[in-house]
């Protein structure tokens, strides 16, 4: 009988694969996007079983929260509801993509099958690295300066967006 | 931590004031244009702080940034560039009837980003600084939103800039993977003592980093975006981008060249030499055939990036001193030339052809004289500032054994004389077709021109003053 952790890992892994396959096979873009959201939640669970709480939370907040909202907005604005606008055509690029993808799969498989790491348990240090506490610690001590200065970058981008999108500014 | 704030005062101050600038903008009435004065005051204050903290060399915030030394010198340069742009921009955007407070705010942000780059002691900080500067530039380039050329310029700059940033970050991640650190000092130590994984990764990373920075610096073969972007952007913004922006990219390469390239020897120097030679030749030869003065000055700015790169090829005390001197001289002469162009320009993109300048000396003797003055300096004719900049860089390259590069540089300088003097000939020895052109009253831009002229003369007459200050940073 496998432990609960392994059981969860297998279940979430199957879920992740199933939802990602569904993402690329659905003809309806909105259904595709929704499957991608489900996929992100599966990944969230996987990260949690690996004790990486911070990455898990960021996964939900950033990807499922912010980026997917953007994707849905784009689908809405482009009015991609009809599937015929996405009719597939054969192109040499697809063959190239397939070759690339299979090369990647071969590489991954040879890495996984060829050289088991032998570790069944993460070291304490590795476990401590994933917590929000340890990330917060370095963020406010060692990386304080970049953490603060990046706010200037965000502000500059915000002002820029206002300048470029402001309706009244047009002559 | 308290000491850190004191020693890194210029950058802390300008960051604080940039954020405050938005609050000031929101709280004061639009008609007063308080932001203009506030941005000017901020840069002036940061400039003074930089002058005060110049002797305190060291690092702050856990080795994230350097303080004092050449970083503060660049601070002063960037603030000076920002102030001169601010003064020249006010009458310009008023004329075009598109004055908004955000313009001044964005110039302040660009200057803050440049200062972050100059102070960076860590690849992460360099990256953030470059992004702050670039984002401000993208928006400033597209500031004339109803003008298609300006929009085209912004979009081109944004897309290609994002592409170049990809190279930059990719190179940084390779360097991190190879040396295990982002800190310049630790990285240099690790490379020197051979504590690196996958030496191949280090070479690839350095190469990608050079590609990214070449783009930002507008060096061959990543210079194709320059003419279109510089032509479409508002003229004063172009002046700012091509001077202070280029100086900032140079200041980004400086610690990297010292820490990484210095250790890996002649291979990278050879690569930089080829880039430098190509940049000088392509820039100057392309400039010869341009009919639009903004495109001509854009290609000339490409060529000047080549001269600056010669200092990195030498990569020694003399080379670095030459770079600092040249960047200083170049800032004033190129900015001056662009401000003059903005005075003659009409309705955003009229009266920019070279033939429009025919007979300018009769109608506007002062503007023509100043233009000729800046052209002579850009061409490197003594006793203007441009001459000594080239002199220092050429000497540095010869002494480090790159005589062929110096020969290429001299040849391309001679080519450049053709189009710089060509403009002078247009203004003085050709007659205008019909009425001739009217120039605008300079207004505040007159201040910019006065300061720029003063520094070009002062740097030319007393080059050793700045040269000695610059030399003291690299002892």
């Amino acid at each position: 009988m496998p432990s609960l952790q392994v059981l969860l890992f297998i279940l979430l892994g199957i879920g992740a694969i199933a939802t990602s396959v569904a993402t690329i096979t659905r003809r309806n873009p909105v259904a595709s996007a929704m499957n991608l959201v489900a996929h992100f939640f599966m990944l969230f669970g996987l990260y949690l079983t690996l004790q990486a709480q911070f990455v898990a939370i960021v996964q939900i907040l950033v990807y499922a929260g912010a980026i997917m909202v953007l994707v849905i907005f784009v689908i809405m604005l482009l009015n991609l509801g009809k599937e015929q606008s996405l009719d597939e055509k054969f192109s040499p690029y697809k063959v190239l993509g397939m070759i690339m993808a299979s090369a990647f799969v071969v590489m991954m498989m040879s890495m996984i099958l060829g050289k088991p790491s032998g570790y069944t348990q993460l070291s304490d240090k590795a476990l401590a690295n994933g917590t929000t506490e340890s990330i917060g610690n370095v963020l406010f001590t060692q990386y304080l300066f970049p953490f603060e200065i990046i706010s200037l970058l965000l502000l500059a981008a915000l002002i820029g967006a206002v300048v470029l999108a402001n309706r009244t500014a047009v002559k | 931590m308290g000491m850190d704030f004191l020693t890194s005062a210029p950058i802390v101050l300008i960051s604080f004031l940039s954020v405050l600038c938005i609050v000031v903008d929101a709280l004061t009435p639009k008609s007063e244009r308080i932001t203009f004065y506030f941005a000017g005051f901020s840069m002036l204050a940061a400039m003074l702080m930089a002058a005060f903290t110049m002797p305190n060399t060291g690092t702050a915030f856990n080795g994230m940034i350097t303080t004092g030394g050449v970083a503060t010198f660049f601070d002063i340069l960037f603030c000076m560039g920002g102030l001169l742009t601010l003064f020249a921009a006010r009458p310009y955007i008023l004329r075009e009837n598109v004055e908004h407070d955000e313009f001044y705010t964005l110039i302040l942000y660009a200057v803050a980003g440049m200062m972050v780059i100059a102070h960076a002691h860590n690849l992460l900080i360099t990256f953030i600084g470059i992004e702050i500067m670039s984002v401000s530039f993208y928006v400033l380039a597209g500031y004339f939103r109803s003008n298609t050329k300006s929009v085209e310029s912004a979009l081109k700059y944004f897309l290609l800039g994002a592409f170049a940033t990809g190279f930059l970050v990719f190179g940084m991640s390779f360097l991190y993977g190879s040396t295990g650190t982002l800190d310049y000092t630790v990285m240099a130590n690790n490379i020197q003592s051979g504590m690196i994984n996958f030496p191949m990764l280090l070479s690839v990373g350095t190469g990608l980093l050079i590609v990214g920075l070449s783009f930002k610096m507008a060096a061959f073969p990543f210079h194709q975006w320059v003419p279109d972007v510089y032509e479409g952007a508002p003229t004063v913004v172009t002046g700012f981008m091509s001077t202070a922006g280029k100086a900032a990219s140079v200041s980004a390469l400086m610690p990297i060249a010292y820490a990484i390239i210095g250790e890996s020897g002649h291979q990278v120097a050879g690569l930089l030499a080829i880039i430098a030679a190509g940049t000088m030749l392509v820039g100057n030869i392309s400039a010869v055939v341009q009919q639009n003065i903004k495109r001509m000055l854009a290609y000339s700015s490409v060529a000047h990036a080549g001269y600056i790169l010669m200092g990195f090829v030498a990569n020694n005390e003399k080379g670095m001193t030459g770079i600092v001197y040249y960047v200083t001289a170049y800032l004033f002469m190129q900015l001056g030339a662009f401000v003059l162009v903005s005075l003659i320009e009409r309705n955003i993109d009229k009266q920019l052809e070279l033939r429009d300048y025919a007979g300018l000396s009769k109608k506007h003797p002062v503007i023509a004289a100043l233009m000729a003055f800046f052209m002579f300096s850009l061409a490197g004719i003594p006793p203007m500032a441009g001459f000594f900049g080239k002199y220092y860089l050429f000497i540095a390259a010869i002494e480090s054994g790159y005589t062929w590069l110096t020969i290429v540089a001299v040849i391309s300088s001679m080519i450049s004389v053709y189009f710089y003097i060509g403009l002078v000939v247009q203004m003085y020895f050709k007659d205008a077709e019909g009425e001739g052109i009217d120039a605008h009253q300079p207004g505040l831009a007159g201040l910019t021109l006065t300061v720029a002229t003063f520094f070009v003369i002062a740097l030319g007459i007393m080059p050793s003053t700045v040269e000695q200050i610059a030399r003291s940073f690299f002892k």
Side-chain angles (χ1 to χ4, degrees), chain B residues 386-466:
Chain B
F387 168 73
F388 288 100
K390 277 183 186 158
Y391 170 76
Y392 290 133
L393 288 171
F394 290 5
I395 289 286
I398 290 174
E399 281 184 7
S400 58
Y402 283 91
T403 319
W404 67 269
L405 185 61
T406 317
I407 294 171
V408 172
V410 170
I411 292 172
S412 55
S413 296
M414 288 195 292
I415 299 172
S416 77
V417 170
Y418 174 79
F419 60 84
Y420 288 130
I421 306 302
L423 181 62
V424 179
V425 170
Q426 279 282 346
M427 292 187 302
Y428 279 91
F429 302 111
K430 293 261 168 76
D431 285 325
E433 302 160 17
E435 282 275 299
I437 48 171
D438 277 324
H440 295 280
Q441 285 300 314
L444 260 180
L447 187 59
T448 302
L449 290 170
T450 315
V451 174
T453 315
F454 169 76
F455 274 101
V456 173
I457 294 175
L459 283 166
I461 294 174
M462 301 178 292
S464 52
T465 329
V466 172

Side-chain angles (χ1 to χ4, degrees), chain A residues 140-146 149-150 152-153 155-157 159-171, chain B residues 1 15 18-19 22 61-62 64-65 96-98 100 102 105 109 112 116 124-125 128 131-132 135 139 142-143 145:
Chain A
F140 284 103
T141 54
Q142 200 193 342
Y143 291 97
L144 175 69
F145 187 75
I149 208 75
I150 213 162
L152 272 193
L153 174 58
L155 272 177
I159 300 169
V162 170
V163 170
L164 293 181
N166 189 2
R167 213 173 268 274
T168 56
V170 181
K171 274 200 291 182
Chain B
M1 191 58 94
S15 314
S18 323
V19 178
I22 306 174
F61 297 109
N62 293 305
M64 283 291 164
I65 58 172
E96 306 296 351
N97 204 13
V98 279
H100 298 289
E102 285 80 8
T105 316
Y109 273 80
V116 171
L124 181 63
I125 308 291
I128 297 176
E131 280 309 287
I132 298 176
V135 165
V139 181
Y143 186 73
R145 285 170 44 212

Side-chain angles (χ1 to χ4, degrees), chain A residues 8-9 25-26 37 43 52-53 59 65 67 69 78 84 86 90 95 103 111 113 117 126 128 132 138 147 151 153 162:
Chain A
L8 267 176
F9 180 82
T25 49
R26 291 303 92 195
V37 174
L43 287 186
Q53 296 99 323
Q59 174 79 23
I67 293 184
V69 170
L78 291 184
Q84 62 265 32
L86 293 171
F90 178 81
V95 181
M111 286 286 277
L113 299 177
S117 69
T132 316
V138 287
F147 178 71
S151 57
L153 174 58
V162 170

Side-chain angles (χ1 to χ4, degrees), chain A residues 18-98:
Chain A
T19 46
S20 61
V21 169
T23 305
I24 55 169
T25 49
R26 291 303 92 195
R27 306 289 302 186
N28 186 331
V30 177
S32 230
M34 283 304 144
N35 270 306
L36 197 57
V37 174
H39 177 68
F40 287 145
F41 273 94
M42 295 296 167
L43 287 186
F44 163 76
L46 278 176
Y47 288 136
L48 274 188
T49 62
L50 293 170
Q51 311 275 334
Q53 296 99 323
F54 183 73
V55 182
I57 297 295
V58 168
Q59 174 79 23
I60 290 298
L61 283 181
V62 175
Y63 281 89
I67 293 184
M68 280 321 289
V69 170
L70 263 182
V71 170
I72 305 253
F73 256 103
V74 170
I75 292 173
M76 190 183 82
L77 291 177
L78 291 184
N79 209 4
L80 282 180
K82 297 175 201 97
E83 61 181 69
Q84 62 265 32
S85 57
L86 293 171
D87 263 350
E88 293 192 31
K89 288 189 196 83
F90 178 81
S91 79
Y93 291 113
K94 270 189 192 146
V95 181
L96 203 69
M98 253 180 231

